[in-house]
Amino acid sequence: MNVFKLDRRYFPILVTVALFIVMFAAGSIEYNGFFSLQVFLNLLIDNAFLLITAVGMTFVIITGGIDLSVGSMIAFTTMLSATLVQNHHWSPWVVIPFVLLVGSFFGWSMGCLIQYFKLQPFIVTLAGMFLARGLCYLISIESITIDNEWYKTVSQTKVYLFGKNYISISVIIALVVVAAAIYIAHFTKFGRNVYALGGSEQSSLLMGLPVARTKVLVYTLSGFCSSLAGVVFTFYMLSGYGLHAVGMELDTIAAVVIGGTLLTGGTGYVVGTIFGVLIQGIIQTLIMFQGTLSSWWTKIAIGMLLFLFILLQKVFISRKKKSGAAA
Amino acid sequence: MKNKLFWPLVTLAVLLLANLIHNHDFFSITIQDGHLFGSLIDILNRAAPLVLISIGMTFVIATKGIDLSVGSVVSITGAMACLIISKGDGSSMSVLFTALGISLLLALAAGAWNGLLVSLLGIQPIVATLILMVAGRGVAQLITDGQILTISSKPYSFIGAGYLFGLPFSIYIIAFFFIIASVLTRKTAVGLFIESVGTNPTASRLAGIRSGLIIFIVYVLCSFLSGISGFILSSNVSSADGNNAGLWYELDAILAVVIGGNSLNGGRFYLSGTIVGALIIQTLTTSIYSMGVPPEVTLVVKSVVVLVVCLIQSEAFGSVFAARRRKRDKAAKQGVSA
């Protein structure tokens, strides 16, 4: 019985992983050159920033909240980094901690508004989204290109694994973030509190858990993750621009949902989110390999996948409720 | 009602006054070629698409829902209408009505999809409509083949750029739908049904209201109105852009509803408040343009406005200050006694 129960908790993740393997296999059978380690590594290279953002979002969604400001936060971080490096000639070693601090502070402020003024996360982070995009344009309307040597070096460094296959420094950052997130979620008090808060805020309060602190910290974490994603995105694009990462918040939410995190809160795994991101990446890669399909099919495919997974969640929840009532 | 409309109206008045101080001709309306011209007319005209969507959004929010897909529906209907017109004879009325009819059917289908997900499957509205928000833009780009479709059709461009009796035609459209919506919700029981479903769907169902049906209808209605805004927007510029048409409209519409004094928690709704909210947003945008502030600042201003309005509405905000005042009074008293 116990084994069976454990299995069912992992069910949404298993579906995601299986789907990823099926898609990868289908691509490998259909297209020449698809089945290679480098294609897989490219998924990580091209989606490192999405992965970092999605990790932060996973925590927010597990508490039952949502953060719509992540895409704008990425754009703002690229813009801030670019202007500080290019126009004010700050050292990258000062710029990066500074932008991370700004992102965390941004998240912290939104968390405070949500917690202490009982505003809906949806509307507060919506305002945050407007604000961050607007601030980008206050810095500059044009795109700012970065020609700082250090940024260029980091951006072009290839870390070779197993012969000719390589990853970028961004991927290493993303993997470190994922490892840290798994540790935080499953082996720290904060992680337990996050799950408890998502399960039931009322019960967590009655149990004496630090609900207020946890909630504010979750949004701070998401702000930190999105600004770190912004730093990685700066490496990727080598420029700052107010129109970078438009619509990223939806990609991020989709990745988290496809990764098996329930939008009602309380259930979800960082590992699932990795596969959610990879599935989005593989859809893009498949469409690229296919050649004739246009880029907008990505949006339609992600929409359909989102629908299927939400449906799956629904079935999952209603079964759980039924079995809970029976027991 | 008086209470709820007070702040939105004050905000609008302050905005208009600020404009008047900056530009003394702001309220003047002149007649050119038999058409009325002036900043006020311009604001009304430009606010038309937003007003329509916001009316639909008000109903959705009154049922405790939200519809994120309105912007995508705007781009889908605009794209479809332009596609059909570009294939046929631009000046023929039958082509025009076929285009409008088919596009509206698409909008209704989009609304039915949202409505079914929310009412039948019980998916959270934010998530259910998120699907169409993401996929809808893809569909719109599919229709226009990723291009910006430009058409030349006199009858179609009349919808968004034409004049009737000296006033822009779009103003008549919003007036028409506003009157229908007000009559429907205030003179029949429909408004009451929507409010009761928003307050407590289970209780409403037990009281004999078909909650599921009401929720379904509300989403269909919202998509329908977004579809019509799609016509206004695309006919105004005689082109359809799957990527950018109606971008950010979902946010502006939600903003208009919230500024208008409606609670995101559902229940009572104020259509007139929503209209004022939409006008506030448009006035804000217009004044930012006319005062020579870089238009990009609009986003910052909007975000500050949302936060301030939400804070004023939130009970916690009021109680925090009340508590602090009480504390201060208490401290002052103790200081006196000590």
Side-chain angles (χ1 to χ4, degrees):
Chain A
M1 190 63 199
N2 253 339
V3 175
F4 179 67
K5 256 189 180 165
L6 201 72
D7 263 355
R8 236 188 24 200
R9 244 176 50 191
Y10 293 120
F11 181 65
I13 292 197
L14 288 178
V15 173
T16 313
V17 176
L19 184 69
F20 175 73
I21 295 173
V22 167
M23 287 173 106
F24 202 83
S28 311
I29 295 168
E30 196 68 21
Y31 307 112
N32 269 337
F34 194 95
F35 185 73
S36 74
L37 187 60
Q38 192 56 48
V39 168
F40 177 76
L41 293 179
N42 280 342
L43 287 181
L44 289 175
I45 294 174
D46 294 332
N47 293 295
F49 62 97
L50 182 61
L51 185 55
I52 298 172
T53 327
V55 165
M57 184 73 91
T58 309
F59 281 91
V60 175
I61 292 185
I62 288 175
T63 64
I66 202 143
D67 187 351
L68 296 176
S69 71
V70 291
S72 312
M73 199 56 227
I74 290 178
F76 180 56
T77 308
T78 64
M79 206 69 196
L80 196 61
S81 313
T83 186
L84 288 179
V85 169
Q86 282 308 117
N87 304 340
H88 299 272
H89 306 292
W90 285 26
S91 151
W93 295 105
V94 185
V95 169
I96 291 175
F98 178 72
V99 291
L100 291 180
L101 208 68
V102 170
S104 310
F105 175 74
F106 199 82
W108 178 81
S109 326
M110 290 195 300
C112 286
L113 284 173
I114 292 165
Q115 172 60 32
Y116 297 111
F117 295 115
K118 302 277 174 281
L119 298 179
Q120 290 193 3
F122 167 70
I123 201 86
V124 172
T125 54
L126 187 67
M129 170 183 177
F130 275 143
L131 187 66
R133 279 258 178 243
L135 289 176
C136 290
Y137 293 121
L138 281 188
I139 294 175
S140 166
I141 295 167
E142 308 284 314
S143 153
I144 302 176
T145 312
I146 298 177
D147 54 13
N148 180 291
E149 280 307 316
W150 191 83
Y151 268 91
K152 271 187 177 167
T153 319
V154 173
S155 156
Q156 285 154 4
T157 305
K158 291 175 180 176
V159 181
Y160 285 93
L161 307 165
F162 318 115
K164 273 183 155 179
N165 301 301
Y166 63 90
I167 50 174
S168 60
I169 289 183
S170 306
V171 175
I172 297 173
I173 299 176
L175 292 178
V176 168
V177 168
V178 167
I182 292 175
Y183 175 75
I184 291 174
H186 300 295
F187 300 102
T188 63
K189 267 190 201 163
F190 172 71
R192 303 312 310 163
N193 291 344
V194 167
Y195 278 98
L197 180 57
S200 165
E201 188 169 344
Q202 195 66 31
S203 310
S204 316
L205 260 177
L206 293 174
M207 280 165 71
L209 296 177
V211 168
R213 202 181 65 202
T214 310
K215 217 186 222 177
V216 173
L217 270 181
V218 157
Y219 286 95
T220 315
L221 185 69
S222 176
F224 173 80
C225 282
S226 45
S227 55
L228 184 61
V231 171
V232 166
F233 201 72
T234 319
F235 293 149
Y236 191 68
M237 304 295 278
L238 279 181
S239 70
Y241 190 28
L243 283 176
H244 274 331
V246 168
M248 258 281 294
E249 48 286 336
L250 303 174
D251 290 343
T252 315
I253 294 169
V256 175
V257 171
I258 292 174
T261 302
L262 296 191
L263 279 154
T264 38
T267 316
Y269 299 96
V270 176
V271 180
T273 302
I274 304 175
F275 282 94
V277 170
L278 287 178
I279 284 184
Q280 288 209 10
I282 209 162
I283 293 176
Q284 277 165 15
T285 315
L286 279 172
I287 285 174
M288 209 174 67
F289 265 82
Q290 206 274 344
T292 56
L293 281 178
S294 314
S295 62
W296 47 86
W297 280 102
T298 318
K299 283 183 193 162
I300 299 178
I302 290 173
M304 287 322 295
L305 265 187
L306 199 59
F307 169 65
L308 285 177
F309 273 84
I310 289 166
L311 212 60
L312 190 80
Q313 287 194 357
K314 211 67 215 171
V315 174
F316 180 69
I317 294 174
S318 61
R319 274 223 195 122
K320 201 163 118 187
K321 267 190 192 149
K322 262 182 210 155
S323 69
Chain B
M1 184 81 187
K2 229 185 208 170
N3 220 344
K4 282 284 180 184
L5 261 181
F6 180 69
W7 283 110
L9 279 176
V10 167
T11 317
L12 186 60
V14 167
L15 272 175
L16 289 175
L17 265 181
N19 270 303
L20 187 66
I21 292 167
H22 180 261
N23 173 10
H24 296 289
D25 298 332
F26 191 73
F27 284 172
S28 76
I29 291 172
T30 53
I31 299 179
Q32 275 173 25
D33 313 325
H35 306 325
L36 293 174
F37 274 98
S39 303
L40 292 182
I41 305 272
D42 188 55
I43 289 174
L44 269 179
N45 188 14
R46 286 186 190 282
L50 182 60
V51 168
L52 274 185
I53 298 175
S54 308
I55 291 176
M57 189 69 88
T58 312
F59 295 141
V60 173
I61 287 181
T63 64
K64 216 175 195 170
I66 205 126
D67 188 350
L68 295 179
S69 70
V70 289
S72 295
V73 174
V74 163
S75 65
I76 290 178
T77 54
M80 197 65 203
C82 286
L83 181 75
I84 295 174
I85 291 171
S86 71
K87 290 268 189 284
D89 173 18
S91 56
S92 120
M93 277 317 234
S94 61
V95 170
L96 176 73
F97 282 110
T98 328
L100 296 188
I102 292 177
S103 313
L104 277 182
L105 276 181
L106 262 182
L108 290 177
W113 164 265
N114 283 336
L116 279 180
L117 290 187
V118 176
S119 67
L120 197 68
L121 296 176
I123 297 171
Q124 287 160 286
I126 291 190
V127 184
T129 53
L130 182 72
I131 299 172
L132 198 59
M133 181 184 180
V134 178
R137 291 248 164 239
V139 172
Q141 278 169 302
L142 187 69
I143 295 172
T144 63
D145 206 22
Q147 310 283 318
I148 296 179
L149 261 182
T150 313
I151 54 163
S152 67
S153 160
K154 272 226 166 104
Y156 186 60
S157 64
F158 181 77
I159 299 175
Y163 282 82
L164 188 67
F165 306 125
L167 282 174
F169 185 62
S170 52
I171 294 181
Y172 293 97
I173 301 180
I174 51 173
F176 175 74
F177 282 106
F178 175 61
I179 291 168
I180 292 213
S182 321
V183 169
L184 209 67
T185 51
R186 292 298 173 224
K187 297 291 169 200
T188 70
V190 177
L192 203 60
F193 288 171
I194 292 176
E195 289 183 344
S196 73
V197 168
T199 317
N200 190 335
T202 317
S204 318
R205 194 164 46 79
L206 294 178
I209 298 170
R210 295 175 65 185
S211 301
L213 187 68
I214 296 278
I215 291 176
F216 177 77
I217 290 176
V218 154
Y219 283 92
V220 174
L221 205 68
C222 186
S223 274
F224 177 79
L225 290 172
S226 316
I228 293 180
S229 325
F231 297 148
I232 299 181
L233 275 170
S234 72
S235 74
N236 189 296
V237 289
S238 280
S239 67
D241 180 352
N243 223 355
N244 293 316
L247 202 63
W248 306 118
Y249 261 81
E250 51 281 342
L251 305 177
D252 277 352
I254 295 166
L255 200 57
V257 174
V258 174
I259 292 180
N262 297 284
S263 160
L264 279 171
N265 292 320
R268 295 224 61 173
F269 65 90
Y270 309 93
L271 266 185
S272 35
T274 299
I275 308 283
V276 177
L279 289 179
I280 288 176
I281 292 179
Q282 189 54 48
T283 314
L284 199 67
T285 315
T286 306
S287 26
I288 282 173
Y289 275 108
S290 69
M291 285 183 184
V293 183
E296 290 73 21
V297 183
T298 323
L299 283 174
V300 178
V301 177
K302 268 184 197 165
S303 65
V304 173
V305 172
V306 191
L307 278 182
V308 170
V309 170
C310 286
L311 277 178
I312 292 174
Q313 277 189 10
S314 97
E315 287 167 21
F317 185 70
S319 59
V320 163
F321 277 85
R324 197 165 284 171
R325 210 173 306 137
R326 237 175 287 138
K327 227 183 213 169
R328 215 188 298 139
D329 290 350
K330 215 175 167 186
K333 257 183 210 158
Q334 276 169 354
V336 169
S337 61

